[in-house]
Amino acid sequence: MWNNYVYGDWTQENTSARLASGLDQLELVEQAGFTARTSSNGVGGRLIQLVNSGNSYNSAIALGHESYRDGIIGTAEQQGSETLAATTAHTQMALSMASDSRYTQSIMSLVSGNQNLQNDLNAYIAAYQYGNSTIFSDYVAGNYDSSADYWKLISRSDGTHFLEAEYDKDGKLITDLTIAYYAEGKDGEWELVGKDFHKNLTESAAGSIVQFLGRERAAELLGAHLGNADLYDKQTLMDVLDVTDMEASKIQRSGRLPDDVTELQLTKLAGEALLKKNGFTYTPKTSWKGGTMDGLQLVDNDTMGYISFGKGDGSYDHDRFVVTASLVRDTRSLSGYTYGKSDYQTNVFNTNSEPYETKSQSLQSQYRELDQITYRKYGLNNEMLDTYTPGNVQSVDVYNVVERIMEEYKDENGEIQKKVKAEINRDQPYYLHGFGWTQGNTVMSDYSLRILSLDNSVENIMEIHNAWTMDGDWINKAALDNDPGGRWLVHSSTNLTSDGCFIYQEHTLDDLQSKLREWGLHSGHHISGSLKWF
């Protein structure tokens, strides 16, 4: 708490004061399904829970983050703004502590063993160096969870998936759905790489599971048409249809539901039948408890990749689909940098004082933009729904430049001058046997894409993550590796000077965004990507 007070901003100092006064409570827990969590304590303050890491500096940084949490689950926009403020604050706090010589070694040791904190610092520093705050805000939006925990659909890049139930602090089943996306990590383990939140529209925990499974799938799992009254016990009919015991018995004897049953009621009925079939029991005090999610899958087969849910049109159902991206790379693309060169050469480029074209003077334009990515939309039973191949893409690293970021200042005579603000070595030479010198940031494995925005006014539409580069670096879930510079992105550029990103011409990127929007994709969705050469 001392570090939170000394190195924190006003909000973090205020949290320390609130803890000291007893208005807020701090609880260290040994094991939990979270790193840190803030909730209301019921008496006007907050309960801040931190997993005890055994490292006081790590706890101080986690407390710095939670200082910005109010313990109230607001709208998605409110939660996102709160998460950005919290992540900014704890990153700035870590930098402040590291700048104090008494703690530099301890903080650097902490950072070296904490990949998430490394990602935070790399993204924050990149945003500062380029004078572009969206680098950090996009990173936070793609890598931090701004929601509470809900029904959770675990969706993996290889198409395996399953549902998990989540409960609130009172043990009640929570009714909304989070799609938790998992990709294969550096060491082959499955790691969480993003989440996509969907609000329950049915007003009930039982109805919500059918909203996400779909009524057609619910009927498959129950083994009968949902209008079949034999699926529902008397209490379920009484509760959902608001009928008397006698009326419920009459419905059961008829063998079919009344014609005036609404879409919402049918969704709730099917949900209760599914939960009871899977061993759940209901009481007003505890809601649904005691059952298993085994067998409650969207389909029996593995899908073609990550599962996406469309936003829907306000109905109690969702469009469910998978989108993949298949990169086919022309081997001649590697010559975009090396063709006609007998040795290796580095260029220095002052970004704010030289023409942009200087960056591409050593490139061989005839060997750029030779690759293609085909995007395919599938149903959950792996039936092809649509396919789209936009114009060609530059997917090979050809950017052999040391960037000098310039800034203006006034000298002693009041004249405006320029000086180097930062120097970023974007040059990763790599000697490819049988070919010669090339650049090492080229993606050389299957990969995942995270959608940032499909707004045509936005240049950076997706992040590339969980992939290997030619020179052996791992692009982590934050779309960063250990080299200086920015993230791996899908974006547009006139000169196609890729440093490992997938780059389209602007008009081609606009067309791609329009198609992906048409398919129902939105910010937060993930796409499984593959690579082939020819």
Side-chain angles (χ1 to χ4, degrees):
M1 196 164 70
W2 169 253
N3 286 320
N4 200 51
Y5 184 84
V6 172
Y7 295 99
D9 57 18
W10 183 90
T11 300
Q12 293 160 332
E13 292 176 10
N14 184 53
T15 294
S16 296
R18 289 167 63 99
L19 289 169
S21 70
L23 179 60
D24 292 342
Q25 285 84 47
L26 177 63
E27 178 184 345
L28 293 178
V29 297
E30 294 304 319
Q31 287 186 331
F34 56 86
T35 301
R37 182 172 67 185
T38 298
S39 57
S40 171
N41 64 7
V43 291
R46 298 172 296 176
L47 172 62
I48 301 174
Q49 297 173 295
L50 306 179
V51 172
N52 187 2
S53 65
N55 185 303
S56 61
Y57 303 109
N58 191 60
S59 296
I61 292 169
L63 180 58
H65 181 100
E66 292 303 306
S67 295
Y68 276 77
R69 297 293 195 190
D70 59 13
I72 301 171
I73 303 300
T75 65
E77 183 178 0
Q78 291 168 338
Q79 291 298 111
S81 297
E82 185 180 88
T83 299
L84 176 59
T87 309
T88 301
H90 85 234
T91 305
Q92 291 173 336
M93 183 178 174
L95 289 169
S96 295
M97 293 170 68
S99 67
D100 188 325
S101 59
R102 294 174 297 174
Y103 302 114
T104 300
Q105 185 173 351
S106 297
I107 295 300
M108 290 300 99
S109 176
L110 170 64
V111 170
S112 67
N114 188 321
Q115 185 63 60
N116 288 334
L117 195 51
Q118 289 177 37
N119 295 340
D120 295 344
L121 292 170
N122 286 340
Y124 186 86
I125 292 169
Y128 169 77
Q129 288 175 328
Y130 285 99
N132 183 358
S133 61
T134 60
I135 292 176
F136 190 70
S137 60
D138 285 349
Y139 159 76
V140 173
N143 291 276
Y144 276 84
D145 180 22
S146 300
S147 65
D149 289 326
Y150 307 95
W151 286 114
K152 188 179 293 181
L153 170 63
I154 307 298
S155 177
R156 294 171 174 165
S157 58
D158 67 350
T160 56
H161 66 280
F162 53 91
L163 276 168
E164 289 182 348
E166 296 287 334
Y167 298 87
D168 65 16
K169 60 183 178 64
D170 298 320
K172 292 185 177 181
L173 194 65
I174 304 178
T175 64
D176 297 315
L177 177 81
T178 293
I179 303 178
Y181 292 117
Y182 281 76
E184 192 170 340
K186 181 179 181 179
D187 298 320
E189 78 291 353
W190 290 107
E191 65 172 347
L192 178 66
V193 295
K195 292 186 178 182
D196 183 39
F197 171 73
H198 292 267
K199 184 68 177 173
N200 171 31
L201 302 175
T202 70
E203 307 167 359
S204 74
S208 68
I209 194 169
V210 176
Q211 177 184 334
F212 303 118
L213 286 172
R215 287 192 297 275
E216 183 178 342
R217 177 59 174 170
E220 287 181 15
L221 294 171
L222 290 170
H225 187 277
L226 297 185
N228 186 342
D230 294 338
L231 293 175
Y232 314 111
D233 61 35
K234 184 183 296 184
Q235 190 62 51
T236 296
L237 291 170
M238 292 170 60
D239 291 342
V240 176
L241 300 183
D242 192 25
V243 296
T244 65
D245 184 291
M246 184 178 298
E247 290 170 326
S249 295
K250 183 178 180 181
I251 292 171
Q252 287 182 317
R253 287 195 300 272
S254 73
R256 55 175 291 180
L257 296 178
D259 293 337
D260 61 353
V261 169
T262 67
E263 182 184 12
L264 176 57
Q265 288 174 325
L266 186 63
T267 301
K268 289 181 177 181
L269 285 169
E272 291 203 13
L274 276 174
L275 289 176
K276 288 179 179 180
K277 181 179 180 181
N278 276 52
F280 285 86
T281 57
Y282 177 85
T283 66
K285 182 177 181 179
T286 65
S287 185
W288 294 96
K289 296 194 71 174
T292 174
M293 303 300 292
D294 291 348
L296 293 180
Q297 293 176 284
L298 274 70
V299 286
D300 294 326
N301 53 273
D302 294 343
T303 65
M304 299 299 291
Y306 296 113
I307 295 173
S308 296
F309 281 24
K311 284 296 187 184
D313 56 3
S315 67
Y316 306 109
D317 215 336
H318 282 279
D319 184 23
R320 304 162 191 83
F321 57 92
V322 172
V323 174
T324 64
S326 301
L327 169 60
V328 178
R329 180 178 288 148
D330 191 323
T331 54
R332 294 175 299 166
S333 295
L334 293 172
S335 297
Y337 158 70
T338 61
Y339 187 78
K341 301 176 68 63
S342 59
D343 55 9
Y344 185 75
Q345 176 183 338
T346 300
N347 298 317
V348 175
F349 173 62
N350 295 333
T351 60
N352 293 3
S353 60
E354 295 184 29
Y356 189 82
E357 287 73 22
T358 304
K359 289 192 288 188
S360 60
Q361 62 185 358
S362 66
L363 305 177
Q364 299 294 317
S365 60
Q366 66 267 40
Y367 294 110
R368 283 180 281 150
E369 202 182 10
L370 297 178
D371 309 331
Q372 287 188 332
I373 300 178
T374 296
Y375 300 85
R376 296 180 175 90
K377 182 178 181 180
Y378 295 92
L380 297 192
N381 291 308
N382 300 332
E383 69 276 21
M384 178 83 74
L385 300 177
D386 201 359
T387 182
Y388 180 67
T389 304
N392 287 11
V393 64
Q394 176 65 32
S395 74
V396 170
D397 176 12
V398 293
Y399 195 45
N400 60 315
V401 170
V402 177
E403 288 186 355
R404 287 176 178 164
I405 311 299
M406 311 299 289
E407 65 179 354
E408 293 183 346
Y409 72 98
K410 289 185 178 180
D411 61 19
E412 63 273 12
N413 298 320
E415 298 292 330
I416 295 179
Q417 305 290 342
K418 289 186 177 181
K419 64 179 180 180
V420 177
K421 175 183 177 181
E423 189 171 270
I424 305 172
N425 186 359
R426 304 289 293 275
D427 183 23
Q428 293 87 24
Y430 183 79
Y431 190 82
L432 184 63
H433 291 288
F435 183 83
W437 284 107
T438 185
Q439 287 285 291
N441 263 5
T442 299
V443 171
M444 292 291 284
S445 69
D446 291 345
Y447 54 89
S448 290
L449 301 174
R450 177 190 299 112
I451 296 180
L452 300 173
S453 174
L454 295 179
D455 187 328
N456 284 94
S457 65
V458 174
E459 178 184 348
N460 301 325
I461 71 165
M462 289 185 274
E463 289 180 325
I464 307 165
H465 63 91
N466 287 70
W468 291 101
T469 65
M470 181 179 290
D471 59 6
D473 282 342
W474 174 251
I475 306 172
N476 62 29
K477 64 181 182 180
L480 298 166
D481 73 346
N482 296 320
D483 292 333
R487 298 164 297 160
W488 266 258
L489 298 166
V490 179
H491 66 92
S492 62
S493 171
T494 303
N495 289 283
L496 302 170
T497 48
S498 171
D499 192 28
C501 294
F502 298 165
I503 301 180
Y504 290 100
Q505 298 282 1
E506 183 176 350
H507 65 89
T508 304
L509 191 74
D510 287 345
D511 292 343
L512 173 59
Q513 288 171 291
S514 297
K515 175 57 71 172
L516 297 182
R517 284 199 306 271
E518 176 190 317
W519 285 353
L521 289 168
H522 58 77
S523 175
H525 278 158
H526 279 62
I527 296 173
S528 298
S530 61
L531 169 65
K532 292 183 179 179
W533 291 78
F534 78 91

